[in-house]
């Protein structure tokens, strides 16, 4: 029934749009149906094999990626400080992105760690077959040493969203990705980078399509399972969007981190607020979800269906505040 309601709502939205009046706001879809049970199936209660970054026994750690005005030490600190000030609490997890050649251990990384946050490093490794050919061994060893020097546990998302169709030219196949994952992890082992919890993080869409599981390296290789899930193109409850992933993850003794989640500006303040409220209860009824990280960003060049920043949208941001002030998300 929820899915039908969302389809009808979307049809109403299209029917009501006026493309001739630029200043007129299009009608917004109705709020998600919060009266029915969330699509919650990740009920594996452990014990979990989570690596150096331990999963809380109860509740879930809250974190975020906050796009800075400038990708500098000052800019990164200012972005995180601003959100923490607005929320009235520190982030337990700070998500940070790195290209293949960018090392961890920057001044801002060290500052976040000094404040007690856990880094979740989203590392965009390159072509899997060139990795397996040994072309990047020096770079991978350098990164392993940089991680080791942090001397604190780190979450590492090696080439997150590897299942995206637009990455197939460098991922090649699930088998290639798995082989590259094992290759990189072996180099980290050789460099004694033992402070890494390895996070495998595909997209919710990849599980809806059915191709994401082919990229899974195995329970012996992964410490945390993960998913990125957005109400962007599809305005549906978060439990429906990530339901296929949760069904799969429940079969594995791994804690779950929601690596990125967000609701797009296109769905209006009321719709966004309701979606966030539903996300809060969905996370809470999934005991296997042990960490979440909001994607507080409007990437440049993206339209309203790919703009997820809640700051500046009071009703939606209020629901984010309610979530992070819930003791469940401050274990």
């Amino acid at each position: 029934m929820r899915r039908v309601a969302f389809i009808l709502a979307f049809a109403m939205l299209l029917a009501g749009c006026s493309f001739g009046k630029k200043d007129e706001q299009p009608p917004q879809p109705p709020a998600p149906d919060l009266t029915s049970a969330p699509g919650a199936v990740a009920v594996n209660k452990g014990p979990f094999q989570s690596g150096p970054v331990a999963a809380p026994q109860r509740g879930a750690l809250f974190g975020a990626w906050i796009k800075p005005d400038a990708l500098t030490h000052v800019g990164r600190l200012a972005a995180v400080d601003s959100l923490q000030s607005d929320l009235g609490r520190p982030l337990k997890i700070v998500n940070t992105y790195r290209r293949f050649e960018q090392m961890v251990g920057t001044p801002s990384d060290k500052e976040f760690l000094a404040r007690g946050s856990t880094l979740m490093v989203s590392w965009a490794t390159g072509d899997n077959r060139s990795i397996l050919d040994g072309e990047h061994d020096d770079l991978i060893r350098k990164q392993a040493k940089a991680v080791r020097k942090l001397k604190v546990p780190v979450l590492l998302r090696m080439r997150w969203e590897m299942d995206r169709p637009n990455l197939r030219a460098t991922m090649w196949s699930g088998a290639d990705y798995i082989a590259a994952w094992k290759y990189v992890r072996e180099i980290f082992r050789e460099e004694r980078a033992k402070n890494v919890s390895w996070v495998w993080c595909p997209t919710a869409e990849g599980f809806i399509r059915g191709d994401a599981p082919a990229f899974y390296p195995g329970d012996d290789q992964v410490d945390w399972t993960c998913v990125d899930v957005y109400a962007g193109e599809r305005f549906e409850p978060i439990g429906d969007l990530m339901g296929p992933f949760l069904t799969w993850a429940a079969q594995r003794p791994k804690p779950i981190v929601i690596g990125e989640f967000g609701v797009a500006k296109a769905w209006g303040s009321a719709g966004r607020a309701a979606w966030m409220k539903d996300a809060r209860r969905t996370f809470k009824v999934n005991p296997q979800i042990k960490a979440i990280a909001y994607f507080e960003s409007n990437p440049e060049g993206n339209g309203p269906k790919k703009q997820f920043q809640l700051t500046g949208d009071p009703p939606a941001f209020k629901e984010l505040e309610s979530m992070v002030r819930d003791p469940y998300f401050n274990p």
Side-chain angles (χ1 to χ4, degrees):
M1 292 299 293
R2 283 179 293 166
R3 190 177 301 278
V4 172
F6 269 73
I7 293 172
L8 290 174
F10 186 63
M12 292 172 61
L13 175 62
L14 289 178
C17 287
S18 174
F19 297 99
K21 298 179 181 180
K22 294 184 178 179
D23 296 332
E24 183 177 319
Q25 293 296 318
Q28 299 300 333
D33 176 15
L34 301 181
T35 61
S36 56
V41 293
V43 294
N44 191 321
K45 297 182 179 180
F48 297 121
Q49 305 161 12
S50 60
V53 179
Q57 290 187 348
R58 183 182 182 279
L61 305 172
F62 175 79
W65 154 255
I66 311 97
K67 183 184 177 184
D69 292 334
L71 291 172
T72 62
H73 170 66
V74 173
R76 291 177 186 274
L77 290 181
V80 172
D81 286 347
S82 178
L83 182 62
Q84 290 184 150
S85 177
D86 290 342
L87 293 174
R89 58 157 288 183
L91 300 177
K92 293 295 186 181
I93 295 175
V94 174
N95 185 17
T96 183
Y97 294 91
R98 293 292 191 276
R99 296 192 302 272
F100 200 3
E101 73 278 7
Q102 290 180 315
M103 298 295 107
V104 300
T106 64
S108 57
D109 290 345
K110 293 176 180 178
E111 179 66 22
F112 296 138
L113 292 172
R115 296 176 179 183
S117 296
T118 295
L119 279 183
M120 182 165 68
V121 180
S122 301
W123 189 28
T125 52
D127 183 286
N128 285 327
R129 293 187 179 178
S130 67
I131 289 174
L132 293 169
D133 286 340
E135 295 180 19
H136 309 288
D137 285 5
D138 290 344
L139 173 60
I140 297 168
R141 290 189 185 281
K142 184 178 179 182
Q143 186 71 285
K145 293 174 182 177
V147 171
R148 187 187 70 209
K149 289 179 181 177
L150 292 177
K151 298 181 180 180
V152 294
V154 174
L155 293 164
L156 180 61
R157 295 202 302 167
M158 177 178 154
R159 186 54 274 175
W160 73 103
E161 299 186 359
M162 76 303 293
D163 59 301
R164 285 184 354 220
N166 67 333
L167 290 178
R168 200 54 52 88
T170 54
M171 296 298 96
W172 294 92
S173 69
D176 288 293
Y177 176 80
I178 291 169
W181 173 289
K182 293 179 178 179
Y183 188 92
V184 171
R185 185 163 182 177
E186 176 60 20
I187 292 177
F188 270 62
R189 187 195 66 79
E190 291 172 359
E191 295 299 333
R192 306 185 310 282
K194 300 178 180 179
N195 55 321
V196 177
S197 278
W198 294 83
V199 181
W200 181 72
C201 200
T203 65
E205 291 84 356
F207 273 87
I208 293 172
R209 291 191 306 267
D211 53 14
F215 291 83
Y216 186 60
D219 289 350
D220 62 328
Q221 292 287 320
V222 172
D223 295 313
W224 289 65
T225 57
C226 174
V227 71
D228 289 352
V229 55
Y230 291 95
E233 299 294 333
R234 301 170 62 173
F235 187 61
E236 298 180 13
I238 192 170
D240 289 356
L241 291 169
M242 63 179 177
F245 164 78
L246 293 174
T247 300
W248 176 91
Q251 308 306 312
R252 283 157 181 82
K254 307 292 177 181
I256 295 170
V257 52
I258 308 301
E260 301 170 15
F261 74 102
V263 56
K265 179 180 178 181
W267 305 120
S269 293
R272 299 177 90 193
W275 192 89
M276 288 296 294
K277 186 174 184 178
D278 180 60
R280 176 184 174 188
R281 68 169 189 154
T282 299
F283 295 149
K284 291 180 70 173
V285 297
N286 278 274
Q288 201 170 344
I289 296 175
K290 295 298 184 181
I292 61 174
Y294 192 81
F295 189 79
E296 177 66 0
S297 176
N298 291 334
E300 293 181 8
N302 285 353
K305 287 188 178 181
K306 294 184 179 180
Q307 296 177 347
F308 303 100
Q309 183 175 315
L310 296 180
T311 303
D313 186 343
F317 192 83
K318 183 178 179 180
E319 288 300 330
L320 181 65
E321 287 183 291
S322 296
M323 180 183 293
V324 302
R325 292 178 180 175
D326 186 329
Y328 189 86
F329 298 100
N330 192 20

